[in-house]
Amino acid sequence: AQSVTQLGSHVSVSEGALVLLRCNYSSSVPPYLFWYVQYPNQGLQLLLKYTTGATLVKGINGFEAEFKKSETSFHLTKPSAHMSDAAEYFCAVSSLYSGAGSYQLTFGKGTKLSVIP
Amino acid sequence: DSGVTQTPKHLITATGQRVTLRCSPRSGDLSVYWYQQSLDQGLQFLIQYYNGEERAKGNILERFSAQQFPDLHSELNLSSLVLGDYAFYFCASWGGLAGGGEQYFGPGTRLTVT
């Protein structure tokens, strides 16, 4: 079974400060890893993903994440927070169940990011 | 715009009633997922369909059911509604691993039960 742990259900940063949202995963197979963002009353939008290859992946809105296999982590960062970054962020890991021929994403519980002016 | 559509956007109904939520996946995507997002439970996977067949079940109540039709749209049926069913219901579609593995989410249906 796969799982995702997001450290911190709420994170507050000042505008212009570094954003760091933490995500650790467990997986028995090489994972696909994702970060999604959700603005109030909207669906989840893909920020970035890691499948194979380069471990530092860049996404939309200036976010990036680094896959560290030894640490089973996929932390999300942005050098300078903007007011528009205030949202909830979800980390997810993929799972391919060979028995059911099914593909699942396992989501973390989410981290709400507040940006203080 | 993810390409996934959901209707209705908002639904207000009473306890004991039955409602149907509709989802159309992105063009070409064969797989549809349903999720429930509530304040106390967070984002929970309910059920997955692939090309008309049920593929996986998550935390779906027996009062809830779903199906995927030949044109690939899907419907989630919620019956005997209780106040605790108040939540957002999201549909997502998946284009396969060759497409990158991500799921694309619709805008959701907000269900209010009074």
Side-chain angles (χ1 to χ4, degrees), chain B residues 17-62:
Chain B
Q17 295 299 306
R18 172 189 168 93
V19 297
T20 297
L21 312 182
R22 182 187 170 105
C23 166
S24 292
R26 293 188 318 155
S27 177
D29 286 357
L30 300 180
S31 201
V32 168
Y33 302 76
W34 286 98
Y35 293 87
Q36 180 194 58
Q37 188 178 37
S38 61
L39 283 177
D40 54 344
Q41 297 290 330
L43 188 66
Q44 295 215 76
F45 165 67
L46 296 178
I47 197 164
Q48 178 206 1
Y49 279 81
Y50 179 83
N51 203 19
E53 293 185 3
E54 181 185 305
R55 280 299 178 95
K57 269 187 173 180
N59 299 319
I60 188 166
L61 300 172
E62 286 192 11

Side-chain angles (χ1 to χ4, degrees), chain A residues 32 34 36 38 41-46 49 51 88 90 94 96 100-105 107-109 112, chain B residues 9 33 35 37 39 41-43 45 48 55-56 88 90 94 97 99-108 110:
Chain A
Y32 283 13
F34 306 85
Y36 284 84
Q38 185 181 31
N41 299 320
Q42 294 186 27
L44 278 70
Q45 177 185 2
L46 182 69
K49 66 180 180 183
T51 54
E88 189 159 19
F90 293 88
S94 66
L96 190 64
S102 176
Y103 177 85
Q104 300 297 319
L105 286 186
F107 285 89
K109 292 187 181 300
K112 282 191 178 175
Chain B
K9 191 175 177 65
Y33 302 76
Y35 293 87
Q37 188 178 37
L39 283 177
Q41 297 290 330
L43 188 66
F45 165 67
Q48 178 206 1
R55 280 299 178 95
F88 276 91
F90 291 102
W94 180 58
L97 290 174
E102 62 265 39
Q103 293 178 12
Y104 292 87
F105 282 76
R110 182 168 67 183

